[in-house]
Amino acid sequence: MHRPFAIIGVLAAAAFSSVTAAQDDLEKRATWSIPTTAEVKARLDDYLSTKKLDDAAKLKIEALWPDEAQSLDGGELLDRLTASLAVVEPKAAEVVTACRQNSIDVVAKKFEGLTDESLSPLVRDNLRLLVGRWLAQHDLVDESLEVLKDVGTENVADPATLLFYQAVGQHRLLKKDECLTAATKLLERESELPRRYVTLARLMEADIKPLKEDSLDEIARMMDDIRRRLALARAGKVVRDEEDSVIAKLEKMIDQLEKQRQMRQQQQRQRNANRGNRRPNSPMQDSQRAELKGPGEVDPKNIGKRDGWGNLPPKERQEVLQQIGRDLPAHFRETIEEYFKRLAQDGVR
């Protein structure tokens, strides 16, 4: 009588065992780990043991760790660790003080503590993570990626934040493969991550996977990045190169559209010609007036060379502009219109 319940119990135990085994397998395959508060504090204590601390310095550091049994999240761990390092290391103090400011005037490369090989990796890498996080939060993604590019997960107090901001930066700069690599690595520890990291990593993956080179989507994102850089007063060579790349991609797209248009017109002329060449079923009577039913079309203007785009009739130019800009936000049309102006100027010259 109790046999069905026994079977259900066996199946439930088997299912639980399978889930546990899957989780264990995921743990084994993860290439990085999240340190506990106790582990970070132990690393700090090992480093401090190599320093001569006066009583005042010891009290400042102890105040930052009031309860070592307390479990802190990664961001808080990074803040407390770097604040502790700042007590004993002047180069760390400079970095920590700057990252507490709400100004984007900070230039990351001026901090000696980020590149000083004489400093312990514990000091150097955690300072770099602190600066990289600060820069990313202020939308300085290029600078953030530059600071974080050689930082490994093994030395930092908050490796999840390191991988997260690497993925964010790569996503913003449309570096598809690099973004997917960082996001995939981050999600190796999905069950241990803050929910916001998991959600945003999944969204970045879903967003950038379908991105195709030379697509309207890519062009729109490049234009948005140009606007971001200009808003941050970053109007240098990178922006100029990106603008030229946008123009080149638009030019390629227009050439493809023109070829498609010419092909459609050629096919239409061929169909009309075929209809005109059909023989009548019966000869025309002598007394019947003949009707002319030819295609009635003339060859379109041969614009041939690239500079001819600037001389296209207004109606045709507007049709092409609308076709290209159909899927783009309205403010991006300014760049497309600028393209036509530049072509017209090139044609005059």
Side-chain angles (χ1 to χ4, degrees), residues 44-77:
L44 173 63
D45 290 340
D46 289 341
Y47 173 76
L48 295 177
S49 67
T50 65
K51 301 290 182 179
K52 294 182 179 180
L53 303 181
D54 56 28
D55 292 338
K58 292 178 180 178
L59 288 174
K60 288 180 181 179
I61 294 174
E62 288 176 2
L64 292 168
W65 306 86
D67 184 4
E68 295 185 21
Q70 180 184 5
S71 180
L72 303 173
D73 65 28
E76 181 66 21
L77 267 178

Side-chain angles (χ1 to χ4, degrees), residues 94-114:
E94 179 189 18
V95 173
V96 171
T97 300
C99 290
R100 289 173 178 168
Q101 307 301 314
N102 195 31
S103 170
I104 62 172
D105 293 334
V106 175
V107 180
K109 62 182 180 182
K110 75 177 184 181
F111 297 125
E112 294 182 6
L114 304 184

Side-chain angles (χ1 to χ4, degrees), residues 245-262:
S245 180
V246 167
I247 296 299
K249 289 177 182 292
L250 286 172
E251 180 178 293
K252 180 178 180 180
M253 185 174 295
I254 289 173
D255 287 344
Q256 291 173 344
L257 290 172
E258 172 58 14
K259 290 178 181 178
Q260 293 172 6
R261 185 179 71 85
Q262 291 177 346

Side-chain angles (χ1 to χ4, degrees), residues 206-267:
D207 179 66
I208 205 168
K209 274 183 178 179
L211 184 65
K212 295 181 179 180
E213 188 176 358
D214 296 334
S215 65
L216 285 173
D217 186 17
E218 184 191 46
I219 293 173
R221 294 173 190 233
M222 292 176 67
M223 291 178 176
D224 184 58
D225 189 57
I226 291 172
R227 294 176 60 212
R228 175 188 68 85
R229 294 174 188 275
L230 293 176
L232 294 168
R234 298 297 197 271
K237 184 179 184 300
V238 174
V239 169
R240 292 194 298 272
D241 290 345
E242 198 165 9
E243 288 174 335
D244 289 341
S245 180
V246 167
I247 296 299
K249 289 177 182 292
L250 286 172
E251 180 178 293
K252 180 178 180 180
M253 185 174 295
I254 289 173
D255 287 344
Q256 291 173 344
L257 290 172
E258 172 58 14
K259 290 178 181 178
Q260 293 172 6
R261 185 179 71 85
Q262 291 177 346
M263 183 175 296
R264 287 195 298 269
Q265 290 181 339
Q266 183 178 358
Q267 292 172 347

Side-chain angles (χ1 to χ4, degrees), residues 42-316:
R43 294 181 191 177
L44 173 63
D45 290 340
D46 289 341
Y47 173 76
L48 295 177
S49 67
T50 65
K51 301 290 182 179
K52 294 182 179 180
L53 303 181
D54 56 28
D55 292 338
K58 292 178 180 178
L59 288 174
K60 288 180 181 179
I61 294 174
E62 288 176 2
L64 292 168
W65 306 86
D67 184 4
E68 295 185 21
Q70 180 184 5
S71 180
L72 303 173
D73 65 28
E76 181 66 21
L77 267 178
L78 177 65
D79 290 336
R80 295 197 187 192
L81 175 60
T82 52
S84 300
L85 296 172
V87 174
V88 298
E89 177 53 63
K91 294 178 181 178
E94 179 189 18
V95 173
V96 171
T97 300
C99 290
R100 289 173 178 168
Q101 307 301 314
N102 195 31
S103 170
I104 62 172
D105 293 334
V106 175
V107 180
K109 62 182 180 182
K110 75 177 184 181
F111 297 125
E112 294 182 6
L114 304 184
T115 57
D116 189 348
E117 295 293 335
S118 67
L119 291 176
S120 164
L122 177 73
V123 179
R124 190 173 60 251
D125 285 357
N126 280 284
L127 290 179
R128 292 170 72 180
L129 176 55
L130 184 71
V131 173
R133 183 186 68 177
W134 186 92
L135 290 168
Q137 290 171 347
H138 286 77
D139 214 16
L140 298 171
V141 292
D142 298 84
E143 294 86 345
S144 175
L145 285 178
E146 180 64 24
V147 170
L148 297 177
K149 66 179 181 180
D150 295 324
V151 180
T153 57
E154 63 278 1
N155 293 322
V156 295
D158 189 9
T161 288
L162 169 64
L163 294 172
F164 175 76
Y165 281 114
Q166 286 176 336
V168 167
Q170 306 291 4
H171 178 271
R172 191 64 184 272
L173 298 183
L174 304 184
K175 296 183 178 182
K176 181 176 178 178
D177 294 338
E178 293 88 340
C179 173
L180 292 175
T181 297
T184 299
K185 187 171 183 178
L186 174 65
L187 291 171
E188 289 175 357
R189 294 282 180 180
E190 180 175 349
S191 62
E192 305 168 68
L193 299 176
R195 179 50 49 188
R196 66 186 185 279
Y197 280 8
V198 174
T199 301
L200 290 173
R202 292 294 185 197
L203 287 174
M204 286 189 289
E205 282 186 329
D207 179 66
I208 205 168
K209 274 183 178 179
L211 184 65
K212 295 181 179 180
E213 188 176 358
D214 296 334
S215 65
L216 285 173
D217 186 17
E218 184 191 46
I219 293 173
R221 294 173 190 233
M222 292 176 67
M223 291 178 176
D224 184 58
D225 189 57
I226 291 172
R227 294 176 60 212
R228 175 188 68 85
R229 294 174 188 275
L230 293 176
L232 294 168
R234 298 297 197 271
K237 184 179 184 300
V238 174
V239 169
R240 292 194 298 272
D241 290 345
E242 198 165 9
E243 288 174 335
D244 289 341
S245 180
V246 167
I247 296 299
K249 289 177 182 292
L250 286 172
E251 180 178 293
K252 180 178 180 180
M253 185 174 295
I254 289 173
D255 287 344
Q256 291 173 344
L257 290 172
E258 172 58 14
K259 290 178 181 178
Q260 293 172 6
R261 185 179 71 85
Q262 291 177 346
M263 183 175 296
R264 287 195 298 269
Q265 290 181 339
Q266 183 178 358
Q267 292 172 347
Q268 182 61 41
R269 289 195 298 270
Q270 185 63 42
R271 286 194 294 268
N272 291 338
N274 290 338
R275 286 197 296 267
N277 291 332
R278 291 176 183 171
R279 294 183 178 181
N281 294 328
S282 60
M284 183 177 294
Q285 301 299 321
D286 292 341
S287 61
Q288 182 177 350
R289 178 179 298 177
E291 295 182 9
L292 299 178
K293 296 184 178 180
E297 292 186 359
V298 296
D299 290 339
K301 180 180 179 181
N302 180 19
I303 61 174
K305 295 181 180 180
R306 182 177 298 167
D307 57 17
W309 278 103
N311 300 318
L312 275 177
K315 183 179 179 181
E316 292 187 28

